Amino acid sequence: MNKYLCVMLSASLLTACGGGSKQSTPVVVEPPPVVVKTNEQAMSAILTDLADKVIIPDYQQFQQRSEAFEVASTQFCSLSQANQSDLTALQQSWLALNAAWHATRATKLGPVFKQFRYSRLQTWPDNNAAVSRGVATLLASDNLTAQVVANTQDGAQGLPALEYLIFAEQSENSLLNATDKAKRCLAVMAIAANVTQLSTELVTGWQTEGDNFRAQYVAGNGDFVSTKDALEEQLTNWFELVEIITDNKIAEPLDLLSPGVITNAEQYRSQSSLMNIEQNLLSLQRIYLGGQGYGFDDYLAEIYQAQTLDNAIKEAFSGVFTTLNDVNDVLEVAITTDDGRSQLVALSNKIKALRTIMASDFVQTTGLNPSFNSNDGD
């Protein structure tokens, strides 16, 4: 019951009971004023919470997983007689590291582009066999260290190179069976140390004690001309990842006919390509929501009173994840069956539907103008 109603009831009861000879005057209690951000304040709030509640925590998780994998690789390579369960444990550590990397993928700004860190961490698509050639270069090196890895071509430096070594396609190249397994172990440890170094640089690059890219991002200066420009760059990254998922990560391995092209899958050796897509989609959702903070959803509601549009976008996300859960096999298997192919097409269509509502209604409502990939015709 609101305060105004309580006052009116009290006055009415007094009158009915004959209390008082004077007419009671109702006291109107005004509700507190609703504080609404200006557009500039709202954009700054989005950038602040994206930095503090999404981007930096995601990079920190990647750094932690990198360090854990480096420890796991050292432990594995110190075993005199490693067995399959030991190798499986190492592979699981790599899968956790890989998932953490793909959780960062909706942001490609700042430190990840400096010193070619992005391509050093992941060379894909690998159209010229950069990974296999890079690993061969490492295995031919006399003194294999993290510094040697850092000075070798990009294909040798990151997660695909680790996958190539620990998920060997031929048994004779396995870390358990290869005649040069000791050298392969040295390569794994050196690449792991390089990945840890790169992940640390990503974290410190955003932090105050490092290059403090966060300050530029939140204020919309430095690499940006305004907070609106920073948001538009972030949205450009968002749309780019959506198109990479549909056009490259799904359509390329699916191909026109069954059984598809398995080597076009992002990480077919570890059969983790669908897991990558899931992490990418979750990262897209976190960007939209601002993690647990002030996100684009709040921006729509507070600045544009567009709750209906926000609900539609959230329903589109829900449809994407429901369809993702309907894919019954890893992507590398799904592309070979009629049911699996249909499920992947359905997933791609749901992602495209999400993209459509963001590229049309969201952009038109907010006036934000991200750059669109040349593949989409915009």
Side-chain angles (χ1 to χ4, degrees):
M1 183 179 294
N2 61 46
K3 294 181 179 179
Y4 179 84
L5 183 56
C6 288
V7 171
M8 292 298 293
L9 280 174
S10 298
S12 299
L13 288 171
L14 284 170
T15 302
C17 295
S21 59
K22 294 183 179 180
Q23 182 69 35
S24 298
T25 302
V27 178
V28 178
V29 179
E30 296 290 342
V34 176
V35 178
V36 178
K37 297 177 180 66
T38 66
N39 190 49
E40 182 65 29
Q41 289 170 337
M43 289 191 291
S44 181
I46 296 172
L47 292 167
T48 298
D49 281 352
L50 280 177
D52 296 342
K53 299 180 180 180
V54 180
I55 298 170
I56 294 174
D58 283 349
Y59 280 137
Q60 288 172 330
Q61 177 179 249
F62 178 50
Q63 180 189 31
Q64 291 162 5
R65 298 275 180 88
S66 299
E67 292 169 348
F69 179 80
E70 187 176 3
V71 171
S73 67
T74 301
Q75 291 174 339
F76 175 86
C77 291
S78 67
L79 298 172
S80 57
Q81 292 293 328
N83 57 35
Q84 184 58 52
S85 64
D86 298 320
L87 179 57
T88 298
L90 181 63
Q91 291 170 338
Q92 289 298 317
S93 182
W94 179 88
L95 287 169
L97 167 62
N98 186 59
W101 163 247
H102 284 280
T104 72
R105 279 289 287 105
T107 299
K108 290 176 65 178
L109 301 170
V112 76
F113 268 142
K114 296 183 186 301
Q115 300 178 24
F116 306 101
R117 292 186 183 104
Y118 178 83
S119 59
R120 291 165 66 192
L121 283 164
Q122 185 182 20
T123 299
W124 187 80
D126 184 13
N127 297 322
N128 62 354
V131 173
S132 60
R133 290 188 295 105
V135 170
T137 299
L138 293 181
L139 295 178
S141 301
D142 293 330
N143 184 26
L144 239 179
T145 64
Q147 188 58 50
V148 170
V149 171
N151 292 331
T152 306
Q153 65 197 71
D154 291 355
Q157 293 198 36
L159 300 175
L162 288 170
E163 180 196 29
Y164 181 89
L165 286 162
I166 67 177
F167 292 91
E169 293 180 74
Q170 289 82 35
S171 176
E172 60 268 25
N173 293 329
S174 165
L175 291 177
L176 298 178
N177 304 322
T179 56
D180 61 346
K181 61 183 179 182
K183 190 63 174 288
R184 289 173 180 269
C185 249
L186 286 175
V188 168
M189 290 188 291
I191 298 169
N194 183 62
V195 170
T196 297
Q197 177 61 34
L198 289 171
S199 69
T200 300
E201 291 170 4
L202 292 180
V203 173
T204 57
W206 278 82
Q207 292 178 327
T208 305
E209 57 269 29
D211 292 339
N212 199 15
F213 185 74
R214 178 196 177 279
Q216 296 182 39
Y217 180 79
V218 170
N221 57 32
D223 287 355
F224 311 103
V225 297
S226 65
T227 53
K228 183 174 184 285
D229 180 49
L231 277 184
E232 289 174 342
E233 289 291 334
Q234 182 68 69
L235 286 169
T236 296
N237 288 178
W238 195 96
F239 282 106
E240 176 187 306
L241 180 56
V242 167
E243 291 173 15
I244 288 172
I245 294 170
T246 57
D247 297 354
N248 300 106
K249 298 193 178 197
I250 297 177
E252 289 295 326
L254 196 62
D255 204 34
L256 296 178
L257 299 172
S258 181
V261 183
I262 190 171
T263 52
N264 285 347
E266 185 174 21
Q267 286 174 317
Y268 67 90
R269 296 179 180 92
S270 58
Q271 294 195 334
S272 60
S273 302
L274 191 63
M275 180 194 72
N276 296 353
I277 291 172
E278 179 181 19
Q279 291 300 320
N280 294 163
L281 291 170
L282 288 169
S283 71
L284 291 170
Q285 186 181 54
R286 283 196 300 279
I287 291 295
Y288 177 73
L289 296 175
Q292 298 297 315
Y294 192 92
F296 289 106
D297 56 337
D298 303 293
Y299 184 59
L300 284 176
E302 184 172 11
I303 302 302
Y304 298 100
Q305 294 76 53
Q307 190 65 56
T308 300
L309 173 56
D310 173 50
N311 289 339
I313 293 170
K314 288 174 178 174
E315 287 174 7
F317 267 116
S318 178
V320 167
F321 288 112
T322 297
T323 310
L324 175 66
N325 290 334
D326 290 339
V327 181
N328 295 324
D329 288 304
V330 295
L331 182 142
E332 291 77 11
V333 174
I335 61 174
T336 67
T337 69
D338 290 342
D339 285 348
R341 292 175 68 83
S342 296
Q343 291 159 4
L344 289 171
V345 169
L347 174 60
S348 182
N349 288 338
K350 288 292 186 181
I351 297 170
K352 289 176 181 177
L354 169 63
R355 182 207 176 279
T356 296
I357 193 171
M358 287 291 291
S360 56
D361 295 354
F362 176 85
V363 167
Q364 290 168 12
T365 298
T366 62
L368 295 169
N369 293 300
S371 298
F372 292 100
N373 189 288
S374 58
N375 291 334
D376 64 26
D378 286 315

